[in-house]
Amino acid sequence: YGLSMNCKIMKNSNGNGNGNDNGKEKSSSRSMYKDVFNKHRRKPDNPFYIDDLDQMVDFSSANPPLQHENVIDLSERRCLRSRSSCSNYESESKHEYEYQGPIYGLKSHPGFAYMPSALSTSLQNDLVYKAVTEFCEPPHGTNIDLVPLKEGVEVPNLNEEESMWELWKRENVTVDADAAVAVEDGDANHDTTQYRKAANIKAKATTNDNEKKYYKRFDKLSWATLGYRFDWTARAYREKNKSAMPKILDQLGKFFAKLGEEAKCNVGVDSTPGSDSDQQLNPINPSPPSTYSFTASAAIVNYYSLKSSMGGHRDDSELDITKPVVSFSLGLPAVFMIGGKTREEGPVVPLLLRPGDVMLLGGDSRLNFHGVARILPHGTEVPPVGRCIGGRDVGDFQIQSWSCICGNECGNGGDIGGSDAGDSDVSIAAMPHSDRLAIEKFLLKHRVNANVRQVLPDGIDRIPGDVDDTE
């Protein structure tokens, strides 16, 4: 879920991405996937359109998701519980706890699993901050790197070292310095709303910058690849083409992959024979959770603007397709489509993705066509997330910090790991307020999706037959 190895994010009007001006799913003939995709695509004359909401599965609505005939509750099917090294409850802060959030599946798509509101706002912001400051910068690769700088048309970022995030802040956000100091001194109690008002965020209309076309900037960025990077020429992963996997993505990927495995390990044992649930999550080569492993060896981070979409594709380039693709939704909501093994097969189910949701494509659904029909602008009238989902209080089951799930592997009592993992010890709470406000402003017009996958089969540590030219 995310970057297609056969299809890139489509951005219109600015000439970037695929340049698909209307976001339509294009193919040479009609297909079930194309028909449903185009039905839910963005309407340029009415971007806040939401009349198709009743046709989507919304796992986070205030109404019980199980009222939808295609939704099945997988939470109680877990034969083990994924444990975390910290708890949301202060009195239990030093005790392990089990993830108690709801896990849903689709009867029509065995192997699909969905965890609504699994990530707290703080953890989402941590991920977004890393996505805009680290994941899209060297040594990782982006779509921009594939197109050389156009001499005479584009100019390098300032001093050729200015990051895309620094450029975006310089062009889009200014903060009243006195107000920022006052808040950091505690005058506004660090309340985000008060700070936003006090800091007086405003657009920075800099004529000189508007006249320049910088080579690396967010309106050109569609995706970033981390870990193993896909070789678009060879249409394969290459051993020499990789960077270190950020530990935050490694640990989150492992945690939720195992959670999905637990949800399917006892399917059919306690279910009523012949029932729909008895057929759910039929796994490919299932492993008992005690021996299950997931190596997060590749990640793709997708950057969506308000007009972006992603055509239908399958993630079929990994050498191990028995492990799921684990996806994290951040920023603006989106309409996601999951179809069959081909574009002609159905059913094609539209889903409403919300920030903080986690989704797994595994088992029989691992190779199904999927994509993003449209991004929902800020202010679109979607139902609010219920305080309780599946009978569970959202505040009780959300993962508050990534250090909660990585235990001793974080090192230093849960601090972020060493530089070899590409992570720095920065959380949203410790950021300068200017960055915190900039993240909020950025997310008013963007969606970010990070998805993690295992490339190689268990026990294999390099791509068979591939020669690393650096050795």
Side-chain angles (χ1 to χ4, degrees), residues 82 115 252-262 292-294 323-324 326 360:
S82 287
M115 296 81 160
L252 286 172
K254 288 179 178 177
F255 180 84
F256 283 101
K258 185 174 182 181
L259 196 61
E261 186 72 12
E262 292 169 5
Y292 180 79
S293 65
F294 178 86
K323 304 297 174 68
V326 185
L360 274 66

Side-chain angles (χ1 to χ4, degrees), residues 289-307:
S290 59
T291 62
Y292 180 79
S293 65
F294 178 86
T295 302
S297 51
I300 301 169
V301 182
N302 299 311
Y303 301 82
Y304 295 84
S305 67
L306 293 174
K307 298 179 181 180

